[in-house]
Amino acid sequence: METSEIRRRFLKYFEDRGHTVVPSAPLPSEDPNLLFVPAGMVPFVPYFVGQQTPPYQRATSVQKCVRTLDIEEVGKTTRHGTFFQMNGNFSFGDYFKEEAIQFAWDLVTKSQADGGYGFDESVLYASVYYEDDEAIDIWKRVAGLPDDRIVRLGMKDNFWSMGVPGPCGPCSEILIDRGPQFGADRDWEAGDRYLEFWNLVFMQNLRGDGPGKEGYEILGELPSKNIDTGLGLERVAYLLQGVDNMYEIDEVFPVIARASELSGKKYGENPVDDVRFRVVADHVRSALMLIGDGVTPGNEQGGYVLRRLLRRAVRSMRLLGYEDPSLPELLPVSKDKMKASYPELEQGFARISQIAYAEEDAFRRTLTAGTSIFDLAVSKLKASGVTTVPGAQSFQLHDTYGFPIDLTIEMAAEQGLEVDTEGFRTLMAEQRERAKADARAKKLGHADTSGYRELRERGITEFTGYSELATDSQVRGILREGTIAPAAEQGEIVEVVLEKTPFYAESGGQIADEGQIVADGVKLQVLDVQRPVKGLIVHRVKVLEGVLQPGADVHAQVDREWRISACQAHSGTHVVHAALRQVLGPTALQSGSYNKPGYLRLDFAWGSSLDQATRSEIEEVSNLAVREDLPVSAEYMPLARAREIGALALFGETYDEEVRVVEIGGPWSRELCGGTHVKHSSQVGTLTVTGESSVGAGVRRLEAFVGMEALRFLGRERALVRTLSENLKARPEELPARIADLVERLRVAEKEIEKARAGQVLAAAAELAANPKDVFGVNYVGHRTPDGLGGGDLRKLALDIRGRMPTDRPAVITIAGVSDGKPGVVVALNDLAREWRLKAGDLVRIAAEALGGRGGGKDDVAQGGGTDPAGVDQALAAVEHAVGQSVTG
């Protein structure tokens, strides 16, 4: 049975039993503590913890999931994968244990001809929480399981919670005995013979503080009991398809087969190669799904994970012996297998492949550059006698140059070196924590949402800002640091929730409105507006006057000029997006945006930079649309209808079943959007594109000003042109040629200066070589150069002096100087000096220490630097002293 059929049967089974089929949420998680959705129940957490009222009592879904903790284990075992799918059925205060067990057992054991999975009942077991006698009784009654096929397990294995105080409850799992070839009889811990493939969570208790897995206090029972289940789709697939692991199922193995064809190596012949094949198959599929959901490669958060997955896949193909670009061969194979379940992959493949292939091209260049950087680092470490690559150096290679840590480890081993992996992981963990902290701060900075939930339970905040900028309202609640407060006094910064508000909360790339909220004797300045939980709009305000109390009648007024400019920017973003697609084609889809009064930026999928002519054409198409005074309208409609008429959605965004569609000129621009807009395109005003740049492989960014900001920008540009014209005595149209002429003349002058400086260096070499100092039989030259000579000049001078020195006496040359405020030093020795057991690397380290830095190199020439320019003379003296000590010692 194909994986897509297993998925279809699951959804149909539960839909036929009154469950609402809920589409998978996008992989990027809305929770600031998570990068991606790691489990099927995550999208339903707001319902389970009481943040939101569920719109249905029964639901079912097949949720796309990504777990990133085990990336390095992928391929080494047959059970670790990054992307997987979790089938689930959920009850919110409706049915409970007996129905959940009955549904699961029926679907699992019903014959395939009757729409079930057809598992043999004789090899199925159930595990339960050891105190849950109720579940044991149900398994006996519903499934007819005898005592010896019901396993009692402890809290660690069969009791679920989210790891923090909140809902929890016992679990019950369905396991299958795969036979003695997979392990010992009754060995529940090994996990290979008795494989769990469906977990039923009976969410009935409330837990207190304590460790994540076990040892916490159970505070009591929940007033409303819920069901959360998870059936691992990939596990069921390999059980039903007669293969041993998830890498060999129909949705994954074709990538391995194609990789085998390309590399000429067979899967199953070499354990080391098999790991690489599995890494390729898993990472290619995971990358396909992540890009499909709007993630783009980058150096932070989800983009960083995607970049790592793509690069590990490419590198694994190279280690298998395939040197050519591999993703164009493998990604279409994965797409063809996944599109049965996710048809949007076929529709968006031009964009997905463009991003993936651009990342591979960038990584192939990185491998070349990174290898050179690594080789240089290794030579310096060896010269210093160090046998371990520091964690900081590995992290820099990884973070700055995209060099994978496993590649660093492998190449270091080839050089006889180890890598400080612990130091590397520490730095990686610190970076991840910084990223999470930044994300949390953007969500109003409060980990505890109980205060918001309490206010949300009193009703939603009505948004009136589409039709008015001023609203009479009432204060529903005040929060201080996320906790409900009785009042707010003058000078305080607090959060305020109103019954209704005209203030737009930051979302969809549009920043929050500014303005004031006033009451009798009270004045509040609105600093920010957010939606920390669905349906609740929270104003972050500073109390300018008076004391604010809950229940107060207020007048909320949005700054009119702010909103007008914000509308111009948001509508301008839609205009530019439509212009992009008109000029570049339908694959130039928006992948993110940001707009504030007078300014917009738009990220879009594209593989190369835009030349000036293309940028000008996009700007012209945008302004023509503005001039045409196209009508702008917004309409609510079912999501299915919006998709049917071709409304564009932002990748990675989650949408309700009822959506708002904004049109500019009808089908010319039709997008799902909750933002505020102008009424006619002419109200956008002048639109001028100010920049275009790369923000990651396959993703470009356009920036533009609109309205008055565009006019101010053009005014500044005009003033700049006027100033240049006056200074250069040229008409505006003559400026490009005049400036090009000046640049060429400057380049020629710089070359002449460089030639003159080289001549001075060579002239100094002859004089210095002719007058060395005798240090116990060693010809010693210690010279401080004039400021401004860099490391290359110092090295050139030292080598030239060495070449002019007599060869019948040992010679040591130390040249030091300061360039751009940073001191540098070079030490060069002739052959006879090295025979006297002098080493340039040892001497340069002594000099660099006086400069407050480090140095190293070979025995005949070495280079170093530091941070203390005042130490140059001391460095020269220290080397001379060391030479004397070495010779006389």
Coordinates of all heavy atoms in Angstrom, one line a residue, residues 507-547:
S507 N 1.3 42.5 11.4 CA 1.2 41.2 10.8 C 1.3 41.4 9.3 O 1.1 42.5 8.7 CB -0.2 40.6 11.1 OG -1.3 41.4 10.6
G508 N 1.5 40.3 8.6 CA 1.6 40.3 7.1 C 2.6 41.2 6.5 O 2.5 41.7 5.4
G509 N 3.7 41.5 7.3 CA 4.7 42.4 6.9 C 4.5 43.9 7.2 O 5.4 44.7 7.0
Q510 N 3.2 44.2 7.6 CA 2.9 45.6 7.9 C 3.1 45.9 9.4 O 2.6 45.2 10.2 CB 1.4 45.9 7.5 CG 1.0 47.4 7.8 CD -0.4 47.7 7.3 OE1 -0.9 47.0 6.4 NE2 -1.1 48.6 7.9
I511 N 3.8 47.0 9.7 CA 4.1 47.3 11.1 C 2.8 47.9 11.7 O 1.9 48.3 11.0 CB 5.3 48.2 11.3 CG1 5.1 49.6 10.8 CG2 6.5 47.6 10.7 CD1 6.1 50.5 11.2
A512 N 2.8 48.0 13.0 CA 1.7 48.4 13.8 C 1.4 49.9 13.6 O 2.4 50.7 13.4 CB 1.8 48.1 15.3
D513 N 0.2 50.3 13.8 CA -0.2 51.7 13.8 C 0.4 52.5 15.0 O 0.6 51.9 16.1 CB -1.7 51.9 13.8 CG -2.4 51.7 12.4 OD1 -1.7 51.9 11.4 OD2 -3.5 51.2 12.4
E514 N 0.5 53.8 14.9 CA 0.8 54.7 16.0 C -0.4 55.6 16.2 O -1.2 55.8 15.3 CB 2.1 55.5 15.7 CG 3.3 54.6 15.8 CD 4.6 55.5 15.7 OE1 4.5 56.7 15.6 OE2 5.7 54.9 15.8
G515 N -0.4 56.2 17.4 CA -1.5 57.1 17.7 C -1.7 57.3 19.2 O -0.8 57.0 20.0
Q516 N -2.9 57.7 19.6 CA -3.1 57.9 21.0 C -4.5 57.3 21.4 O -5.4 57.1 20.6 CB -3.2 59.4 21.3 CG -1.8 60.1 21.3 CD -1.9 61.5 21.8 OE1 -3.0 62.1 21.9 NE2 -0.8 62.0 22.3
I517 N -4.5 56.9 22.7 CA -5.8 56.5 23.4 C -6.0 57.5 24.5 O -5.1 57.7 25.4 CB -5.7 55.1 23.9 CG1 -5.4 54.1 22.7 CG2 -7.0 54.7 24.6 CD1 -5.1 52.7 23.2
V518 N -7.2 58.1 24.5 CA -7.5 59.1 25.6 C -8.8 58.8 26.3 O -9.7 58.2 25.8 CB -7.6 60.6 25.0 CG1 -6.2 61.0 24.4 CG2 -8.7 60.6 23.9
A519 N -8.8 59.2 27.6 CA -10.0 59.0 28.4 C -10.1 60.3 29.3 O -9.3 61.2 29.2 CB -9.9 57.7 29.3
D520 N -11.0 60.3 30.2 CA -11.2 61.4 31.1 C -10.0 61.5 32.0 O -9.7 60.7 32.9 CB -12.4 61.2 31.9 CG -12.8 62.5 32.8 OD1 -12.2 63.5 32.4 OD2 -13.6 62.3 33.7
G521 N -9.1 62.6 31.7 CA -7.9 62.8 32.5 C -6.8 61.8 32.2 O -5.8 61.8 32.9
V522 N -6.9 61.0 31.2 CA -5.9 60.0 30.8 C -5.5 60.2 29.4 O -6.3 60.4 28.5 CB -6.4 58.6 31.1 CG1 -5.3 57.6 30.7 CG2 -6.8 58.4 32.5
K523 N -4.1 60.1 29.1 CA -3.6 60.1 27.8 C -2.6 59.0 27.6 O -1.6 59.0 28.4 CB -3.0 61.5 27.4 CG -2.5 61.6 26.0 CD -1.9 62.9 25.7 CE -2.9 64.0 25.6 NZ -2.2 65.3 25.2
L524 N -2.7 58.2 26.6 CA -1.8 57.1 26.4 C -1.2 57.2 25.0 O -1.9 57.5 24.0 CB -2.5 55.7 26.4 CG -3.5 55.5 27.6 CD1 -4.2 54.1 27.4 CD2 -2.7 55.4 28.9
Q525 N 0.1 57.0 24.9 CA 0.8 57.0 23.6 C 1.0 55.5 23.2 O 1.5 54.7 23.9 CB 2.2 57.6 23.7 CG 3.0 57.6 22.4 CD 4.4 58.1 22.5 OE1 4.8 58.6 23.6 NE2 5.1 58.1 21.5
V526 N 0.4 55.2 22.0 CA 0.5 53.8 21.5 C 1.9 53.6 20.9 O 2.3 54.2 19.9 CB -0.6 53.5 20.5 CG1 -0.5 52.1 20.0 CG2 -2.0 53.7 21.1
L527 N 2.7 52.6 21.5 CA 4.0 52.3 21.0 C 4.1 51.1 20.0 O 4.9 51.1 19.2 CB 4.9 52.1 22.2 CG 5.0 53.1 23.3 CD1 5.8 52.6 24.5 CD2 5.5 54.4 22.8
D528 N 3.2 50.2 20.3 CA 3.2 49.0 19.4 C 1.9 48.3 19.6 O 1.2 48.5 20.6 CB 4.3 48.0 19.9 CG 4.6 46.9 18.9 OD1 4.1 47.0 17.8 OD2 5.2 45.9 19.3
V529 N 1.5 47.5 18.6 CA 0.2 46.7 18.7 C 0.5 45.3 18.1 O 1.1 45.2 17.0 CB -0.9 47.4 17.8 CG1 -2.2 46.7 18.1 CG2 -1.0 48.8 18.1
Q530 N 0.2 44.3 18.9 CA 0.4 42.9 18.5 C -0.8 42.0 18.8 O -1.7 42.4 19.5 CB 1.6 42.3 19.3 CG 3.0 43.0 19.1 CD 3.6 42.7 17.7 OE1 3.2 41.6 17.1 NE2 4.5 43.5 17.3
R531 N -0.7 40.8 18.3 CA -1.7 39.7 18.5 C -1.1 38.5 19.2 O -0.7 37.6 18.5 CB -2.4 39.3 17.2 CG -3.2 40.4 16.5 CD -3.8 39.8 15.2 NE -4.4 40.8 14.4 CZ -5.7 41.1 14.4 NH1 -6.5 40.3 15.2 NH2 -6.2 42.0 13.6
P532 N -0.8 38.6 20.5 CA -0.1 37.4 21.1 C -0.9 36.1 21.1 O -0.3 35.1 21.1 CB 0.1 37.9 22.6 CG -1.0 39.0 22.8 CD -1.2 39.6 21.4
V533 N -2.2 36.2 21.1 CA -3.0 35.0 20.9 C -4.1 35.4 19.9 O -4.5 36.6 19.8 CB -3.7 34.5 22.2 CG1 -2.6 34.0 23.2 CG2 -4.6 35.5 22.8
K534 N -4.6 34.4 19.2 CA -5.6 34.6 18.1 C -6.8 35.3 18.7 O -7.4 34.9 19.7 CB -5.9 33.3 17.4 CG -6.8 33.5 16.2 CD -6.9 32.2 15.5 CE -7.7 32.3 14.2 NZ -7.9 31.1 13.5
G535 N -7.2 36.4 18.0 CA -8.5 37.1 18.4 C -8.3 38.2 19.4 O -9.2 38.9 19.7
L536 N -7.0 38.3 19.9 CA -6.8 39.4 20.9 C -5.8 40.4 20.4 O -4.7 40.0 20.0 CB -6.2 38.7 22.2 CG -6.2 39.6 23.5 CD1 -7.6 39.8 24.0 CD2 -5.3 39.0 24.5
I537 N -6.1 41.7 20.4 CA -5.2 42.8 20.0 C -4.8 43.5 21.2 O -5.6 43.9 22.1 CB -6.0 43.7 19.0 CG1 -6.4 43.0 17.8 CG2 -5.1 44.9 18.7 CD1 -7.2 43.9 16.8
V538 N -3.4 43.6 21.4 CA -2.8 44.1 22.6 C -2.0 45.4 22.2 O -1.2 45.3 21.3 CB -1.9 43.1 23.3 CG1 -1.2 43.7 24.5 CG2 -2.7 41.9 23.7
H539 N -2.3 46.5 22.9 CA -1.6 47.8 22.6 C -0.6 48.0 23.7 O -0.9 47.9 24.9 CB -2.6 49.0 22.7 CG -3.9 48.8 21.9 ND1 -4.9 47.9 22.3 CD2 -4.3 49.3 20.7 CE1 -5.9 47.9 21.4 NE2 -5.5 48.8 20.4
R540 N 0.7 48.2 23.3 CA 1.7 48.5 24.2 C 1.7 50.1 24.3 O 2.0 50.7 23.2 CB 3.1 48.0 23.7 CG 4.2 48.2 24.7 CD 5.4 47.3 24.3 NE 6.5 47.5 25.2 CZ 7.5 48.3 25.0 NH1 7.6 49.0 23.9 NH2 8.5 48.4 25.9
V541 N 1.5 50.6 25.4 CA 1.3 52.1 25.6 C 2.2 52.6 26.7 O 2.6 51.9 27.6 CB -0.1 52.4 25.9 CG1 -1.1 51.8 24.8 CG2 -0.6 51.9 27.2
K542 N 2.5 53.9 26.6 CA 3.1 54.7 27.6 C 2.0 55.6 28.2 O 1.4 56.4 27.4 CB 4.3 55.5 27.1 CG 5.0 56.3 28.3 CD 6.3 56.9 27.8 CE 7.0 57.6 28.9 NZ 8.2 58.3 28.5
V543 N 1.9 55.6 29.5 CA 0.9 56.5 30.1 C 1.5 57.9 30.3 O 2.4 58.1 31.1 CB 0.5 55.9 31.5 CG1 -0.6 56.8 32.1 CG2 0.0 54.5 31.4
L544 N 1.0 58.8 29.4 CA 1.5 60.2 29.5 C 0.8 61.0 30.6 O 1.5 61.9 31.2 CB 1.2 60.8 28.1 CG 1.9 60.1 26.9 CD1 1.5 60.9 25.6 CD2 3.4 60.0 27.0
E545 N -0.4 60.8 30.8 CA -1.1 61.5 31.8 C -2.1 60.6 32.5 O -2.7 59.7 31.9 CB -1.9 62.7 31.2 CG -1.1 63.8 30.5 CD -1.9 64.8 29.9 OE1 -3.1 64.9 30.1 OE2 -1.3 65.6 29.1
G546 N -2.4 60.9 33.8 CA -3.4 60.3 34.6 C -3.2 58.8 35.0 O -2.1 58.3 34.9
V547 N -4.2 58.2 35.5 CA -4.2 56.8 35.9 C -5.3 56.0 35.2 O -6.5 56.4 35.2 CB -4.5 56.7 37.5 CG1 -4.5 55.2 37.9 CG2 -3.4 57.4 38.3

